[in-house]
């Protein structure tokens, strides 16, 4: 993990704010059959590409982010939060008339009551995309690795994706992709392509055969990526590598409290470790440990190198007993 502190990662994708309204429920509304939440507190966290960036700096690496926010208070708050964490925000474009994406979760005694989304997920304008490409091109020369975080919010469009991949690979730096459904097959050439089980199943329209190395290789070849890293929740991960073949990474999570943001943590660790010259398998093993730490925390959270090392040590101690 020490080598990861020497790298700089460029994260591009959908920036979001996660707002949590926390309270308690002791009655049902007389107006409708819904719980009445008495608010006791609120908190904010970065979501999407912002959470990947937050995890990168938590690992001790440096980070710049490329994305879009609205010309609104939430956009200013998101930029301020990133800046306080030490994330470079010169690549963030403010778009007038387009709201910053905010996901508001109402929680009562750790139970998820409801979620309210404020967003415009339509494709950004050609002008907006050109501004993002200009920002990406300006920041890429300083990067040791790239992460593309796609939440289908209209920022990572095909022309941006293709140029980002080609420019990154031409510089010889690894590029990690966390995809979503709309442009799932646009990421050919990526160093690591990291869908979860549901995303891959939906995209293929077929049932998963994650334990079948021939099936995994056929999917990797169809996607035309160097490494297919399939995250399987409580079953760990499956890695199909063009160079190393099929590798299974079993789960190491002992306590699962909240899975929110675990995928972002995996993306950040994969990008930082591979930028520091780790093999795909080495990076996946560390990312798996990082995810185990993250899911034991409430809400969207970051993970430090010390926590990852403690997780590894605890499992080693258990194996020796």
């Amino acid at each position: 993990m020490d080598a990861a502190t020497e790298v700089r990662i460029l994260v591009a994708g959908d920036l979001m704010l996660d707002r949590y309204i926390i309270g308690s429920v002791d009655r049902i509304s007389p107006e409708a059959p819904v719980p009445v939440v008495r608010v006791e507190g609120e908190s904010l966290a970065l979501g999407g590409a912002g959470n990947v960036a937050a995890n990168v700096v938590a690992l001790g690496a440096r980070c710049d982010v490329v994305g879009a926010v609205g010309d609104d208070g939430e956009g200013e708050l998101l930029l301020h939060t990133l800046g306080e964490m030490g994330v470079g925000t010169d690549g963030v474009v403010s778009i007038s008339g387009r709201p910053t994406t905010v996901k508001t979760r109402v929680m009562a005694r750790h139970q998820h009551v409801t979620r309210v989304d404020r967003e415009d997920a339509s494709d950004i304008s050609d002008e907006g995309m050109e501004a993002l490409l200009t920002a990406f091109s300006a920041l890429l020369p300083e990067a040791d690795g790239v992460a593309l975080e796609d939440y289908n919010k209209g920022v990572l469009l095909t022309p941006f994706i293709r140029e980002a991949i080609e420019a990154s690979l031409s510089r010889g730096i690894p590029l990690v992709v966390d995809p979503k459904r709309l442009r799932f097959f646009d990421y050919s050439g990526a160093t690591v392509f990291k869908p979860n089980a549901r995303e891959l199943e939906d995209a293929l329209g077929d049932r998963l055969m994650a334990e079948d190395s021939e099936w995994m290789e056929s999917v990797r070849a169809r996607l035309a990526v160097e490494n297919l890293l399939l995250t399987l929740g409580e079953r760990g991960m499956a890695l199909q590598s063009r160079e190393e073949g099929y590798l299974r990474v079993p789960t190491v999570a002992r306590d699962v409290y909240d899975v929110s943001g675990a995928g972002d943590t995996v993306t950040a660790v994969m990008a930082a470790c591979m930028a520091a010259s780790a093999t795909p398998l080495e990076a996946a093993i560390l990312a798996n440990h990082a995810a185990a730490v993250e899911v034991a925390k409430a809400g969207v959270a970051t993970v430090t190198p010390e926590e990852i090392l403690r997780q590894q040590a605890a499992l080693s101690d258990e194996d020796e007993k």
Side-chain angles (χ1 to χ4, degrees):
M1 291 302 298
D2 288 343
T5 65
E6 303 299 321
V7 301
R8 191 179 200 98
I9 304 300
L10 179 55
V11 178
D14 296 302
L15 293 167
M16 297 182 279
L17 271 180
D18 288 329
R19 175 174 285 125
Y20 294 86
I21 298 175
I22 304 161
S24 59
V25 173
D26 55 21
R27 66 191 180 98
I28 300 298
S29 172
E31 301 165 356
V34 295
V36 175
V37 179
R38 186 172 65 252
V39 177
E40 297 169 350
E42 295 189 27
S43 64
L44 286 170
L46 295 169
N51 188 37
V52 175
N55 272 278
V56 168
V57 295
L59 293 170
R62 292 162 293 167
C63 186
D64 295 293
V65 68
V66 171
V69 296
D71 184 15
D72 50 27
E74 288 81 2
E76 292 178 4
L77 179 58
L78 196 155
L79 287 170
H80 176 74
T81 304
L82 285 169
E84 281 196 324
M85 290 180 173
V87 177
T89 59
D90 288 347
V92 179
V93 176
S94 178
I95 300 180
S96 179
R98 185 184 180 97
T100 301
T101 298
V102 181
K103 296 181 179 180
T104 301
R105 296 172 176 87
V106 181
M107 313 291 293
R109 295 185 182 179
H110 308 304
Q111 297 297 313
H112 195 155
V113 177
T114 190
R115 193 179 93 181
V116 180
D117 289 359
R118 176 179 178 267
E119 65 182 14
D120 178 355
S122 63
D123 292 352
I124 61 171
S125 65
D126 291 344
E127 180 183 4
M129 187 181 66
E130 286 300 323
L132 291 175
L133 276 171
T134 298
F136 184 90
S137 298
L139 292 167
L140 185 61
E142 302 299 318
D144 301 296
V146 173
L148 299 183
E149 184 70 14
D150 193 353
Y151 272 80
N152 285 165
K153 304 302 180 187
V155 169
L156 290 185
L157 305 183
T158 300
F160 183 98
I161 292 167
R162 296 314 314 158
E163 188 160 331
I165 291 176
E166 289 165 13
S168 300
L169 298 185
S170 70
R171 297 186 66 85
I173 60 177
L175 181 140
V176 178
V177 175
D178 190 357
K180 286 294 183 289
R181 179 66 184 91
L182 286 182
R183 297 174 181 88
F184 199 87
F185 294 97
D186 288 356
Y187 291 97
S188 60
T191 311
V192 177
F193 188 76
K194 187 200 72 65
N196 62 35
R198 181 176 180 180
E199 290 163 349
L200 185 57
E201 199 166 52
D202 287 348
L204 297 177
D206 193 9
R207 67 184 182 88
L208 295 184
M209 291 185 281
E211 310 296 335
D212 185 332
S213 61
E214 291 186 3
W215 182 86
M216 286 283 291
E217 173 58 21
S218 70
V219 175
R220 186 205 63 79
R222 178 180 173 185
L223 293 165
V225 296
E226 290 292 305
N227 300 278
L228 170 63
L229 180 63
L230 176 59
T231 58
L232 299 165
E234 68 278 2
R235 294 190 291 135
M237 303 176 181
L239 175 65
Q240 184 67 40
S241 172
R242 186 175 68 84
E243 301 249 337
E244 299 178 285
Y246 179 79
L247 301 160
R248 191 71 168 82
V249 185
T251 184
V252 293
R254 292 172 295 176
D255 301 305
V256 178
Y257 185 83
D258 189 338
V259 298
S260 301
D264 299 338
T265 298
V266 171
T267 301
V269 175
M270 290 297 299
C273 289
M274 293 200 66
S277 300
T279 67
L281 178 59
E282 290 169 340
I285 290 171
L286 288 170
N288 200 33
H289 283 290
V293 174
E294 202 280 342
V295 298
K297 300 181 179 184
V300 174
T302 58
V303 176
T304 66
E306 293 75 20
E307 289 174 316
I308 296 173
L309 293 174
R310 283 198 297 269
Q311 164 77 13
Q312 288 181 297
L315 285 173
S316 296
D317 290 344
E318 288 181 4
D319 291 340
E320 291 174 1
K321 291 178 180 177

